[in-house]
Amino acid sequence: MNNEIVNVSLQILPIGEEEISLERIDRVLEYIGSTGVKYLVGPMETTMEGPYHQLMDIVAKAQDICFKEGAGRVVSVIKVDAKKTGVTMDEKIKKYR
Amino acid sequence: MNNEIVNVSLQILPIGEEEISLERIDRVLEYIGSTGVKYLVGPMETTMEGPYHQLMDIVAKAQDICFKEGAGRVVSVIKVDAKKTGVTMDEKIKKYR
Amino acid sequence: MNNEIVNVSLQILPIGEEEISLERIDRVLEYIGSTGVKYLVGPMETTMEGPYHQLMDIVAKAQDICFKEGAGRVVSVIKVDAKKTGVTMDEKIKKYR
Amino acid sequence: MNNEIVNVSLQILPIGEEEISLERIDRVLEYIGSTGVKYLVGPMETTMEGPYHQLMDIVAKAQDICFKEGAGRVVSVIKVDAKKTGVTMDEKIKKYR
């Protein structure tokens, strides 16, 4: 994949007790916030905007964080929207906000 | 499923030329807006809040709209977050907005 | 949605301890097996073939089973592939099996 | 992510006319077949088994193939099931086949 701007969304589900899982998700969101990429926290997934490989590195590290925080299993649902000429989050949601 | 408040997100992909598909997605979002349920348009999916069966009726009608608008095939990705005691979109995203 | 044959896949994640969640998923798969619809258990989701509303009723009952078995929260990822003229699982995978 | 065995599933949707998109999906499946990783073609997604980074490289190249074949936009839904001690496809589906 080239360096065009894509959208990558991540729904991360560390398997385990609900309260503990929610804390781990909070750690992941803090990490995403620290990366400096543009992102939007949604009710069912967090969407990021940037070059594909940069965002997928973040997705990999997000899963690592869940394991480091003690999860034994992590299920993730990742969506990618990639266009030859690049695609921003704004062009898709601006008229609805 | 009972009448508790759940979150249902819909990513709808009417198969066909990109521009035509985007117009069909707009028709779907107009319809969702007309239903009166609380909803949030995200870059990769639109999330709704309400009783499960009401929201899944909307998901069915959304696909119907794509067919009525001329799509021959429609692929959808639907996510459900359901809690025994009900779950709102706000409780999940308020602290991140 | 009409009565044409569609494909609906379900990934169901009852939130909680891993072993307990796996048992609940087994109950769901037993239920799906009892419905008589054509289905295929995959590593990440179970796909069913039949009329849309019949399959979505099964998806609703599958979530109910998780709650009856004691889950407090259930996250599901549902995919739909619907064609005006109907679509079977075989037409998509036969040449790869 | 470490080198344990994970499951990664890919649903790839090159946006465009249905027949052309199906041909591009065939090219992707031929490529996945050529990589030597264990994989299973399902009706709604293809699941692979192997180390995380190897499988995610394949996911990136799969999207590249769609662009090289002429797609202007590619939407992908990727699922990951990762366990600290590794997880195989068989342990999840053997008793249902």
Side-chain angles (χ1 to χ4, degrees):
Chain A
M1 295 282 276
N2 61 27
N3 257 327
E4 289 292 345
I5 298 294
V6 303
N7 292 183
V8 168
S9 73
L10 171 63
Q11 175 185 30
I12 195 160
L13 298 160
I15 304 300
E17 279 309 321
E18 186 182 350
E19 287 320 308
I20 297 169
S21 297
L22 293 177
E23 281 164 27
R24 289 169 181 158
I25 291 170
D26 281 342
R27 297 294 83 74
V28 165
L29 289 172
E30 283 158 24
Y31 161 66
I32 291 176
S34 74
T35 63
V37 296
K38 190 175 177 183
Y39 72 106
L40 185 64
V41 178
M44 303 288 274
E45 59 183 24
T46 291
T47 306
M48 299 173 276
E49 181 182 295
Y52 178 84
H53 290 291
Q54 178 187 7
L55 301 185
M56 294 310 269
D57 282 349
I58 292 172
V59 164
K61 288 197 180 86
Q63 294 167 80
D64 280 331
I65 285 168
C66 292
F67 285 118
K68 268 184 208 119
E69 294 279 327
R73 189 169 196 163
V74 181
V75 170
S76 304
V77 180
I78 304 151
K79 293 181 187 174
V80 181
D81 182 4
K83 241 172 116 168
K84 227 168 206 174
T85 53
V87 55
T88 66
M89 294 196 283
D90 273 356
E91 74 185 69
K92 296 195 281 187
I93 61 173
K94 215 170 29 182
K95 62 183 173 189
Y96 294 107
R97 296 264 167 140
Chain B
M1 293 283 274
N2 61 26
N3 258 328
E4 289 293 345
I5 297 294
V6 303
N7 293 182
V8 169
S9 73
L10 170 64
Q11 175 185 30
I12 196 161
L13 298 159
I15 303 299
E17 279 310 318
E18 184 181 353
E19 288 319 308
I20 297 170
S21 297
L22 292 177
E23 280 162 28
R24 289 169 182 158
I25 291 171
D26 281 343
R27 296 294 82 75
V28 165
L29 289 172
E30 281 157 27
Y31 161 66
I32 290 175
S34 74
T35 63
V37 297
K38 189 174 177 184
Y39 72 106
L40 185 65
V41 178
M44 305 286 274
E45 60 183 26
T46 291
T47 307
M48 299 173 275
E49 181 182 294
Y52 178 83
H53 290 291
Q54 180 187 6
L55 301 185
M56 295 308 270
D57 282 349
I58 292 172
V59 164
K61 288 198 180 87
Q63 295 167 78
D64 280 333
I65 286 169
C66 292
F67 285 117
K68 271 185 207 116
E69 293 280 327
R73 189 168 195 164
V74 181
V75 170
S76 304
V77 180
I78 303 151
K79 293 181 186 173
V80 181
D81 182 3
K83 240 171 116 169
K84 227 167 206 175
T85 53
V87 56
T88 66
M89 294 195 284
D90 272 356
E91 74 185 69
K92 296 196 282 187
I93 61 173
K94 214 168 32 182
K95 60 183 174 189
Y96 296 106
R97 297 261 165 146
Chain C
M1 296 282 276
N2 62 26
N3 258 328
E4 288 292 343
I5 298 294
V6 303
N7 293 183
V8 168
S9 72
L10 171 63
Q11 175 185 28
I12 196 160
L13 298 160
I15 303 300
E17 279 310 320
E18 185 182 349
E19 288 319 309
I20 297 169
S21 296
L22 293 176
E23 281 162 28
R24 289 170 182 157
I25 292 170
D26 281 342
R27 297 293 83 75
V28 165
L29 290 172
E30 282 157 27
Y31 161 66
I32 291 176
S34 74
T35 63
V37 297
K38 190 174 175 182
Y39 72 106
L40 185 64
V41 178
M44 304 288 274
E45 59 183 26
T46 291
T47 306
M48 298 172 276
E49 181 182 293
Y52 179 84
H53 290 291
Q54 179 187 6
L55 301 186
M56 294 308 268
D57 282 349
I58 292 172
V59 164
K61 288 198 180 85
Q63 295 168 79
D64 280 332
I65 285 169
C66 292
F67 285 118
K68 268 185 209 116
E69 293 279 329
R73 189 167 195 165
V74 181
V75 170
S76 305
V77 180
I78 303 151
K79 294 182 189 170
V80 181
D81 182 4
K83 242 172 115 167
K84 227 169 206 173
T85 52
V87 54
T88 65
M89 295 196 283
D90 272 356
E91 74 185 70
K92 297 196 281 187
I93 60 174
K94 212 168 32 181
K95 62 183 173 188
Y96 295 106
R97 296 265 166 140
Chain D
M1 293 284 272
N2 61 26
N3 257 329
E4 289 292 344
I5 297 293
V6 303
N7 293 182
V8 168
S9 74
L10 171 64
Q11 175 185 27
I12 195 161
L13 298 160
I15 304 299
E17 279 309 322
E18 185 182 350
E19 289 319 309
I20 297 169
S21 296
L22 293 177
E23 280 164 26
R24 289 169 181 158
I25 291 170
D26 282 342
R27 297 294 82 75
V28 166
L29 289 172
E30 281 158 26
Y31 162 66
I32 290 175
S34 73
T35 63
V37 297
K38 188 175 177 182
Y39 73 107
L40 185 65
V41 178
M44 304 287 274
E45 59 184 27
T46 291
T47 307
M48 298 173 275
E49 180 183 294
Y52 178 83
H53 289 292
Q54 180 188 6
L55 301 185
M56 295 308 269
D57 282 349
I58 291 172
V59 164
K61 289 197 179 87
Q63 295 167 80
D64 280 333
I65 286 169
C66 291
F67 285 117
K68 271 184 204 117
E69 293 279 328
R73 188 168 195 165
V74 181
V75 170
S76 304
V77 180
I78 303 150
K79 293 180 188 173
V80 182
D81 183 4
K83 240 172 115 167
K84 228 168 205 176
T85 52
V87 54
T88 66
M89 294 196 283
D90 272 356
E91 75 185 67
K92 295 196 282 187
I93 62 173
K94 212 169 36 181
K95 62 182 172 188
Y96 294 107
R97 296 268 166 140

